[in-house]
Amino acid sequence: MTTNTSGSEADSQRLSVSLVRDDLFFRAQRAVGLVPRTGLGIVRRAIAYALVTWLPIAVWVAFAGRAVSGTVDEPLLQHFGVNVRCLIAIPLLVLAEGMAHATMQRLLPQFVRAGLVTDVAAFASTLESVKRLRDRTLPWVVIGAVALAWTVLAPDTHQGHDVRWAEDAVHPGSVGFGGWWYLYVARPVYLTLALALAWLWRIVLAFSAVYSAGWAHDGIVIVGRGTTRW
């Protein structure tokens, strides 16, 4: 019984692809302790990113007297954009990684169990190719470069609505520490996770994995480069 269970688990691992485990971003997070040796550390990372992006800003505005109304025209607690991005959007995007991982782990083996894939060895080989593609460095270099370029080359946003709560009353047009932290720490994290960069890449991986299993249309199942009929 134990042998059959172990064999079934091994087959499920062989016939599935995680969209997040072992890519460059995942390995970097594991290197700094955000991801444990086993598991994905989803909750840990969601909390950590929320704290790293929002807490320094909150501490600064508390000491600068910019947290509540009456001190500045638009205090931080009334600026929903910053708070929602840091405390809701970023954690939700991290939690979504866990959902994507679990979904693909359950979905892909079903193609074999349902009989849609006839050449299991070829299917497994194709999934290994998808994993190697996922683990490449270049996609994440491009993602990081786009996020960095957006951050550095964007218009002078510290004069805009996003950081009005951090504007320096003595030196118009400049912002304090909290504004800089938002612009060059919190916003790049949000851009990397949310600007369809990381997720666009993972959608490509998911499509590649599912396509390798096959699409059923008019009684024809396409498996890799071959076709079979129902």
Side-chain angles (χ1 to χ4, degrees):
M1 186 71 175
T2 303
T3 303
N4 291 337
T5 302
S6 300
S8 177
E9 291 177 355
D11 288 341
S12 295
Q13 290 295 324
R14 186 169 64 96
L15 299 174
S16 63
V17 174
S18 171
L19 298 182
V20 296
R21 181 183 290 278
D22 294 330
D23 64 19
L24 180 65
F25 189 44
F26 187 88
R27 297 195 302 269
Q29 292 175 100
R30 176 176 285 166
V32 298
L34 286 175
V35 177
R37 295 184 62 183
T38 59
L40 301 179
I42 295 295
V43 175
R44 175 194 300 186
R45 288 191 287 135
I47 294 173
Y49 280 125
L51 291 178
V52 166
T53 55
W54 183 81
L55 190 58
I57 296 173
V59 171
W60 180 80
V61 297
F63 279 101
R66 294 167 176 262
V68 296
S69 59
T71 55
V72 291
D73 292 338
E74 187 176 342
L76 178 64
L77 293 183
Q78 291 183 3
H79 197 290
F80 298 111
V82 173
N83 295 304
V84 168
R85 288 188 189 100
C86 295
L87 297 178
I88 297 178
I90 289 176
L92 283 178
L93 287 164
V94 176
L95 294 174
E97 292 184 6
M99 296 177 61
H101 171 80
T103 298
M104 295 300 288
Q105 296 293 104
R106 293 193 302 267
L107 173 65
L108 294 177
Q110 291 299 326
F111 285 99
V112 176
R113 299 189 185 107
L116 297 178
V117 173
T118 55
D119 191 342
V120 177
F123 180 44
S125 176
T126 303
L127 293 183
E128 288 300 319
S129 299
V130 173
K131 292 176 184 178
R132 290 192 294 272
L133 184 63
R134 174 202 62 196
D135 297 344
R136 293 184 62 183
T137 300
L138 180 60
W140 287 96
V141 171
V142 173
I143 289 170
V146 172
L148 179 62
W150 187 291
T151 299
V152 174
L153 301 178
D156 200 6
T157 53
H158 68 266
Q159 293 182 0
H161 185 261
D162 274 357
V163 288
R164 187 171 299 169
W165 48 272
E167 288 181 349
D168 192 332
V170 179
H171 303 91
S174 64
V175 296
F177 169 80
W180 288 108
W181 188 269
Y182 172 73
L183 290 174
Y184 295 106
V185 177
R187 192 175 64 165
V189 169
Y190 175 75
L191 289 172
T192 301
L193 292 173
L195 249 183
L197 295 173
W199 280 106
L200 179 60
W201 171 238
R202 287 166 177 162
I203 289 170
V204 170
L205 291 174
F207 178 81
S208 300
V210 172
Y211 179 77
S212 69
W215 294 101
H217 180 66
D218 292 336
I220 300 175
V221 179
I222 303 175
V223 183
R225 295 183 178 178
T227 62
T228 58
R229 288 185 179 274
W230 287 356

